[in-house]
Amino acid sequence: MLWRAGDPPLRFALIEAGIVAIRRLTAAGDTIVLGLFGGGDAIGLPAALANEPFPAEAVALAPVCVHWIIAASLAAALPASPALRGAIDRALLMHTRALRDKIDIVSAGTVPRRLAALFLHLARRFGTPSMAGAVTIEIGLTREQIGQLVSARTETVVRVLGRWQRAGWFEGGRARIELVRPDMLARILGT
């Protein structure tokens, strides 16, 4: 846990390595993953800039290496540094992109379409393609976490991913995800 929702934003993090999920509890007690962030991403920056409590929690999905930046130091340095303001603007645009990606995933339609959108997104952001066309994503996600990312019940995710595994399109475990046939996932989305 890097921080909890409601914590004061005394610092924010620049991720060097690993994956961090930003997630929030709903009023019903369900967890919703708002986004996944990796190497080079700044997380917690909007809350630090606004000096408002973190609206969601940040949880490492595996071992991570982060550089902590003190929010007050950033605020003090910002007025005198156009280069720093430019870097902040780029980081905020990256957050906007992450939100648009999340909207694209959860609005893709059926659960298979949302799962295909999620895995193709993860492949673009974090994947390593092979010569054979497969893509390895070095993120271990449980079926429950995958369900949180696509707003679907765990049982439904298990059923769909089981079909994809039997078809030879997908292999997933606690350490990594292998998209054996990303072309089939793209076909599901019609792309």
Side-chain angles (χ1 to χ4, degrees):
M1 180 74 61
L2 279 71
W3 61 74
R4 297 188 185 284
D7 285 353
L10 302 177
R11 60 188 186 165
F12 66 97
L14 178 61
I15 302 170
E16 182 177 320
I19 305 295
V20 175
I22 303 297
R23 64 186 193 187
R24 190 169 186 173
L25 290 175
T26 67
D30 298 322
T31 300
I32 297 175
V33 176
L34 303 172
L36 295 177
F37 297 88
D41 291 337
I43 57 171
L45 179 59
L49 288 172
N51 196 26
E52 296 177 351
F54 291 116
E57 62 188 19
V59 180
L61 295 183
V64 296
C65 179
V66 299
H67 298 284
W68 291 104
I69 300 169
I70 305 301
S73 299
L74 174 70
L78 226 93
S81 177
L84 182 57
R85 284 194 305 271
I88 295 300
D89 288 346
R90 287 188 297 280
L92 292 173
L93 288 173
M94 191 67 171
H95 276 272
T96 302
R97 174 62 192 228
L99 289 173
R100 283 196 322 259
D101 290 342
K102 178 64 177 182
I103 291 167
D104 289 346
I105 291 166
V106 297
S107 65
T110 64
V111 172
R113 288 179 56 86
R114 294 194 309 258
L115 287 168
L118 169 66
F119 290 126
L120 292 173
H121 164 73
L122 294 176
R124 281 190 304 276
R125 283 285 322 273
F126 308 112
T128 304
S130 74
M131 296 297 279
V135 178
T136 301
I137 305 162
E138 297 292 337
I139 302 173
L141 294 172
T142 66
R143 301 305 191 245
E144 181 180 15
Q145 289 169 325
I146 293 168
Q148 292 168 357
L149 284 162
V150 298
S151 297
R153 294 179 52 222
T154 304
E155 297 80 9
T156 306
V157 169
V158 168
R159 200 168 36 255
V160 172
L161 294 183
R163 283 195 309 260
W164 291 0
Q165 281 182 301
R166 287 188 296 280
W169 301 354
F170 170 90
E171 293 175 16
R174 293 210 177 259
R176 73 169 42 113
I177 297 165
E178 182 84 19
L179 303 181
V180 181
R181 296 286 310 269
D183 59 314
M184 297 307 288
L185 301 184
R187 285 180 73 188
I188 290 170
L189 283 177
T191 60

